Amino acid sequence: MGNTKIVTIRFKNIISPTDIEAFRGAVVNALKDKDILFHNHNLTDKGFRYSYPLIQYKRINRRAAIFCLEEGTESIGKFFLDSDLTLNLNGKIHQFEVESVKAHKHLIQIWNSNIRYTIRKWLALNQENYEFFDTLESVAEKSAFLENILKANILSFAKGLNIFFEKQVECKITRLSEPRITLYKNVKMTIFDAEFLTNVSIPDYAGLGKGVSVGYGVTVRKKEKENNK
């Protein structure tokens, strides 16, 4: 288990879902030192940082946000030192304004009872396992297949934070949307929205699955009485 440092920065600026990658690019371009945690690319040898992204770009309540974990909570300070928050998104200059900064620690561990979460824009399937998923006929088979993927996503998330569980991770999908198509890295991919139960405590807005650095797989604990407006 681990008491993980988290910083969530929300901006007042409204962005569209398709602007999230441009938002990341604008933040990276504002940096004097192209810290790999901001983009997961090694600019010297054109390689990648394959670990779980510690700086993630989000759209929360229609507004731009940056979600940072562990080392990312320290690196994010470079952005505010290097930038006056004048950012170029898709060729247009925008003056960004911080709405709030929340810093806290979250205990990521296995609990004796399950916790309910929502996950949005979950990139659960790659091309190979989508073809297998498409051959499954029953809802039960498809749910079980996706539950195993979600469990693997949770384990990968924890491993990326150097957290390893001694007990079994439980995961049960309780609601699943119809699949939708999105364009991710210029490839058509299938995404889902879902609700699930797990015995792992996941911090709000952490991403699970592919594309978490640019707003996919955003996971939020579901409140007992949630306002869905």
Side-chain angles (χ1 to χ4, degrees):
M1 64 182 180
N3 218 2
T4 301
K5 293 184 294 184
I6 294 171
V7 172
T8 306
I9 303 162
R10 299 195 193 198
F11 297 88
K12 293 182 178 180
N13 305 71
I14 293 174
I15 62 172
S16 72
T18 56
D19 283 337
I20 297 176
E21 288 196 49
F23 173 50
R24 177 177 70 169
V27 170
V28 172
N29 287 335
L31 296 169
K32 295 176 182 176
D33 172 21
K34 306 301 184 187
D35 188 324
I36 194 171
L37 293 184
F38 282 85
H39 49 77
N40 288 330
H41 292 77
N42 189 326
L43 300 180
T44 56
D45 61 13
K46 297 183 180 179
F48 293 89
R49 176 184 178 274
Y50 287 104
S51 300
Y52 182 78
L54 300 180
I55 295 179
Q56 303 174 16
Y57 303 84
K58 312 281 183 182
R59 180 177 181 261
I60 300 174
N61 295 332
R62 300 172 58 225
R63 289 172 168 79
I66 303 176
F67 177 79
C68 313
L69 305 99
E70 290 297 293
E71 294 97 324
T73 64
E74 300 169 10
S75 292
I76 193 63
K78 298 176 184 178
F79 169 61
F80 290 98
L81 287 173
D82 290 352
S83 172
D84 62 357
L85 301 186
T86 303
L87 302 180
N88 185 334
L89 268 71
N90 297 317
K92 294 183 179 180
I93 302 300
H94 299 265
Q95 184 62 49
F96 272 65
E97 187 176 353
V98 173
E99 181 176 63
S100 66
V101 178
K102 180 182 178 182
H104 68 288
K105 291 186 177 181
H106 187 93
L107 184 60
I108 299 171
Q109 68 172 38
I110 287 181
W111 298 83
N112 292 328
S113 58
N114 285 331
I115 306 165
R116 186 179 297 274
Y117 295 91
T118 61
I119 183 169
R120 305 294 186 214
K121 294 174 62 180
W122 178 34
L123 274 170
L125 302 170
N126 56 31
Q127 185 174 358
E128 182 178 336
N129 58 24
Y130 175 79
E131 291 175 358
F132 178 77
F133 176 80
D134 205 36
T135 66
L136 300 175
E137 295 183 356
S138 73
V139 173
E141 286 178 311
K142 290 186 175 183
S143 292
F145 185 70
L146 290 174
E147 283 169 359
N148 284 332
I149 291 174
L150 184 54
K151 187 184 297 184
N153 291 165
I154 293 171
L155 288 168
S156 178
F157 154 73
K159 181 181 177 182
L161 298 170
N162 203 31
I163 297 170
F164 300 92
F165 303 124
E166 295 180 357
K167 297 180 181 179
Q168 184 77 19
V169 171
E170 298 174 4
C171 186
K172 181 174 179 58
I173 293 173
T174 58
R175 186 188 65 80
L176 186 69
S177 72
E178 290 297 319
R180 308 191 307 278
I181 300 298
T182 190
L183 200 62
Y184 174 65
K185 294 184 177 179
N186 294 318
V187 177
K188 288 184 178 179
M189 303 279 283
T190 301
I191 57 173
F192 299 91
D193 294 337
E195 289 183 13
F196 66 96
L197 293 167
T198 183
N199 56 348
V200 178
S201 48
I202 302 167
D204 280 352
Y205 306 115
L208 297 177
K210 294 181 179 297
V212 301
S213 65
V214 286
Y216 289 95
V218 177
T219 304
V220 176
R221 183 170 181 169
K222 189 174 173 65
K223 307 299 187 291
E224 291 298 323
K225 293 182 179 180
E226 186 175 67
N227 185 349
N228 291 318
K229 290 183 180 180

